[in-house]
Amino acid sequence: MDKIQHSNIKVNGINMHVAEIGEGPAVLFVHGFPELWYTWRHQMLFISSKGYRAIAPDLRGFGDTEAPPLPTSYTALHIVGDLVGLLDSLGLDKVYLVGHDWGAIISWYFCLFRPDRIKALVNMSVVYTPRDPSVKPLDYYRKTFGDDFYVCRFQEIGWEEEYGKVDTKRQLAASYFNRNPSAPKLPKDYAKCFNPHPYTIPSWFTKQDLDYFASKFRATGFRGGFNYYRCFDLNWELCAAWTKYKIVVPVKFIVGDLDLTYHFPGTKEYIHGGGFKEAVPGLEEVVVMEGVGHFINQEKSQEINYHIYDFITKF
């Protein structure tokens, strides 16, 4: 880990913290919520040992990267713009792209907006969902899951203060180590109701890992991450021009069978029934890992390392 280099780069009007290691063809890793560049620590060390340049930024609003105050500064156009600006600053024309969770969503958008910059994509947990012009995302979520659904709850400006009343380390542990694939529901008086079982750090995580994540989120809070969710409908509006557009870059998709995203209504049928391949003609492989939860790249780091490596070596 001490060989990973850190820098701050001005991109798209913000200062971005970037972790890098290795030389060779570049692999850009895009993290999710509530995560940081650090979520890719295992993949960065492995991929760099195989002759690649591993690059993992803290996304806008996370960790040591600048966090603009307005929720409307966190659209997919902003985030992809940051990443394109990063590639330009590093002198990189095309990269291999790897995403997870919100990083997967951003990676799908990256392939929509600028497929010319992507050699191949390995995406985890969140499938590509084509834009439905007939319904806004938040209307769908509220109708399907109710107002307590976590995505809906995150829409409430100021709710991050309620979230922040809970001890950060316990909050993160409850997210990272969760094995329940049902849709998360968050009551309005969340801090009073938050009473998870005492956590035990699993074998694939360490106390030092949890300390690192907690120290960064204690410093920044969760507002930056919530602002991604607050742009769901705005992304839907801004991306009307890409309606019916398909993902044409080569793609490998990986998900755990205990991942909450795999259990969203209709997702399994979409993945295995042909709808996913229709929307993503570049889809070459789908991997469902048994007994694995949402934070798949950390829980099964070595398997994910080889899945990434085996796929990108084809291109």
Side-chain angles (χ1 to χ4, degrees):
M1 290 290 289
D2 59 354
K3 294 181 180 179
I4 295 178
Q5 298 179 336
H6 298 266
S7 60
N8 287 288
I9 300 175
K10 189 80 171 181
V11 299
N12 198 23
I14 66 169
N15 290 308
M16 173 174 275
H17 166 246
V18 183
E20 290 188 68
I21 185 172
E23 297 180 355
V27 183
L28 177 63
F29 293 92
V30 189
H31 70 78
F33 173 86
E35 297 180 279
L36 305 162
W37 75 269
Y38 188 85
T39 190
W40 299 112
R41 59 199 178 280
H42 304 297
Q43 286 73 43
M44 294 181 72
L45 296 176
F46 177 84
I47 288 297
S48 63
S49 74
K50 296 295 186 180
Y52 291 85
R53 180 182 180 184
I55 303 166
D58 283 336
L59 294 181
R60 166 183 298 236
F62 287 90
D64 294 319
T65 291
E66 195 170 339
L70 295 178
T72 52
S73 295
Y74 291 81
T75 70
L77 292 169
H78 287 91
I79 312 304
V80 174
D82 295 345
L83 296 176
V84 171
L86 174 61
L87 299 190
D88 290 344
S89 296
L90 298 176
L92 298 170
D93 179 44
K94 299 185 75 169
V95 296
Y96 300 104
L97 189 60
V98 180
H100 170 257
D101 186 74
W102 255 106
I105 297 173
I106 295 301
S107 295
W108 293 126
Y109 278 120
F110 202 146
C111 293
L112 281 179
F113 302 155
R114 295 302 303 272
D116 59 304
R117 306 300 293 266
I118 308 301
K119 295 179 181 177
L121 167 65
V122 178
N123 239 2
M124 290 169 240
S125 294
V126 183
V127 295
Y128 174 62
T129 304
R131 180 182 184 275
D132 183 347
S134 67
V135 60
K136 291 185 176 183
L138 292 178
D139 289 341
Y140 166 77
Y141 288 134
R142 288 194 175 97
K143 181 178 179 180
T144 304
F145 300 107
D147 290 337
D148 285 349
F149 184 53
Y150 76 106
V151 173
C152 302
R153 187 64 69 203
F154 287 176
Q155 303 305 310
E156 300 173 21
I157 301 300
W159 198 77
E160 51 266 38
E161 279 74 31
E162 178 73 13
Y163 204 70
K165 292 176 184 177
V166 175
D167 177 73
T168 304
K169 190 176 290 188
R170 291 190 73 202
Q171 183 93 261
L172 293 173
S175 295
Y176 296 158
F177 311 148
N178 177 41
R179 311 297 291 173
N180 183 356
S182 61
K185 301 290 184 72
L186 306 179
K188 203 169 186 67
D189 54 348
Y190 173 72
K192 292 181 180 179
C193 299
F194 183 80
N195 187 30
H197 296 295
Y199 65 84
T200 300
I201 296 178
S203 60
W204 49 270
F205 216 77
T206 69
K207 179 181 181 298
Q208 291 73 26
D209 295 336
L210 189 57
D211 287 344
Y212 182 86
F213 282 114
S215 69
K216 294 299 181 181
F217 280 104
R218 283 197 192 104
T220 64
F222 293 91
R223 179 179 287 113
F226 287 177
N227 284 339
Y228 284 65
Y229 294 90
R230 290 166 179 162
C231 285
F232 262 125
D233 277 0
L234 184 53
N235 285 333
W236 179 88
E237 294 174 12
L238 293 173
C239 294
W242 286 273
T243 301
K244 297 185 179 180
Y245 195 87
K246 298 178 185 295
I247 303 294
V248 296
V249 304
V251 175
K252 182 174 190 172
F253 180 76
I254 310 170
V255 66
D257 69 349
L258 296 180
D259 193 325
L260 62 96
T261 63
Y262 188 58
H263 291 265
F264 280 178
T267 297
K268 292 180 185 178
E269 294 79 5
Y270 174 69
I271 291 174
H272 303 294
F276 192 19
K277 176 65 175 177
E278 181 179 350
V280 185
L283 183 66
E284 298 193 8
E285 297 181 45
V286 171
V287 178
V288 180
M289 299 182 71
E290 294 184 5
V292 183
H294 181 65
F295 295 92
I296 190 168
N297 54 307
Q298 298 186 79
E299 183 177 346
K300 293 293 182 181
S301 59
Q302 192 68 356
E303 291 93 330
I304 293 299
N305 291 343
Y306 280 105
H307 276 304
I308 294 170
Y309 178 68
D310 290 345
F311 191 63
I312 68 176
T313 54
K314 297 177 181 180
F315 307 97

